[in-house]
Amino acid sequence: MLIWGYESIMVKSMTGFGRYELTADDKKICVELKSVNHRYLDLSVKIPKNLAQFESAIRTELKKYVERGKVDAYVTWEDHSDTAGLVRYDHDLAAEYLKAMKQIAEDFGLDDDVRVSTLSRCPDVITMGEAELDEEEVWHLLRETVDKAAEAFVETRVKEGANLQSDLEAKLTGMLSNVDFITERSPVIVAEYKKGLEAKVRDLLGDAAIEESRILMEVTLYADKICVDEELVRLRSHIEAVRETLRAGGAVGRKLDFIAQEMNREANTILSKTNDLAVSDHAIELKTDIEKVREQIQNLE
């Protein structure tokens, strides 16, 4: 469960950026977070070798703020304290070098002019090491930095999510307008078909009596063939479900993608059943809007 405040109930984009730098006791830690779209949560943590033991803890901490997306975390660490680096002198190795140098002087009749500066330049006589980290202290600083960077990161995702939600809401309104048109147009198509059918029969039969029952049967068969009432009801329901899901917030990307697939299926059925130009035009607009919605949904967490 996310610990982030009210933003946890808002729609979030999967793209984001956050950075925070903390300086304390001559130590500087910087955490930078970047993310792009991904079907699942893919966390990549790049961290200095001397902090490698904290990688798992950082992953756990970040999972409190993000549920989907490819997230790259970059951690840098600088320690400028007096105990940051330790100079070590290898007595035994220096003694071996000195013994060898004296032997060389004896063997070749050379002056024994070995100085400290000469001996100190010999490999591994003097080495630099790192002081042992106080893990509890370092994690305290590191966790604070991760949390602050994650909060900034989530904030950018929330802002982008709000923009996406506004755009999706507008597209849903446009889709409902097309659904309303098709709903209103459907009975008119049947009435026009009946009127046209009666006119054709009169042309063929002239003054002969017209069997109204046969006309009604033909109209009924035609109406059943082009009827999209169920598809329109389901489509309207799906549009409302998308709207409600967006307003409920949270990690809704996968759910909305599934609903969008169902919407596309209904629009395809409507388009395949109609032979009316006006309905076809609006059904095509409907499919276009649904495809745009699906593309936008891919950006949501």
Side-chain angles (χ1 to χ4, degrees), residues 116-259:
V116 173
S117 59
T118 305
L119 193 59
S120 64
R121 286 195 294 268
C122 293
D124 299 325
V125 171
I126 295 178
T127 56
M128 290 290 294
E130 293 182 348
E132 186 175 344
L133 293 175
D134 182 336
E135 292 195 5
E136 185 175 344
E137 177 191 3
V138 172
W139 174 240
H140 174 75
L141 298 174
L142 189 55
R143 181 177 182 178
E144 180 181 353
T145 311
V146 169
D147 287 341
K148 294 292 186 182
E151 288 171 6
F153 170 72
V154 171
E155 187 176 347
T156 63
R157 285 162 63 103
V158 168
K159 287 180 180 178
E160 179 61 22
N163 294 334
L164 289 172
Q165 181 170 349
S166 296
D167 186 62
L168 285 168
E169 292 267 10
K171 285 183 171 60
L172 291 174
T173 300
M175 289 165 62
L176 277 175
S177 176
N178 284 314
V179 170
D180 289 340
F181 176 87
I182 296 172
T183 302
E184 293 171 6
R185 176 67 182 161
S186 294
V188 177
I189 296 172
V190 176
E192 289 177 350
Y193 177 77
K194 180 180 178 182
K195 184 177 179 181
L197 184 61
E198 288 175 342
K200 287 181 180 179
V201 171
R202 285 193 179 95
D203 287 343
L204 291 172
L205 299 180
D207 296 331
I210 300 174
E211 291 187 35
E212 190 65 29
S213 60
R214 292 293 302 275
I215 295 290
L216 289 175
M217 183 180 298
E218 288 294 330
V219 171
T220 300
L221 290 173
Y222 177 76
D224 286 342
K225 181 180 178 181
I226 68 166
C227 181
V228 290
D229 290 352
E230 291 184 9
E231 288 80 3
L232 290 170
V233 169
R234 285 194 293 267
L235 194 48
R236 196 182 297 274
S237 176
H238 292 328
I239 292 172
E240 188 57 34
V242 171
R243 199 186 298 275
E244 290 176 357
T245 302
L246 284 170
R247 293 174 181 176
V252 298
R254 287 198 197 97
K255 180 179 179 180
L256 290 179
D257 187 49
F258 173 77
I259 298 174

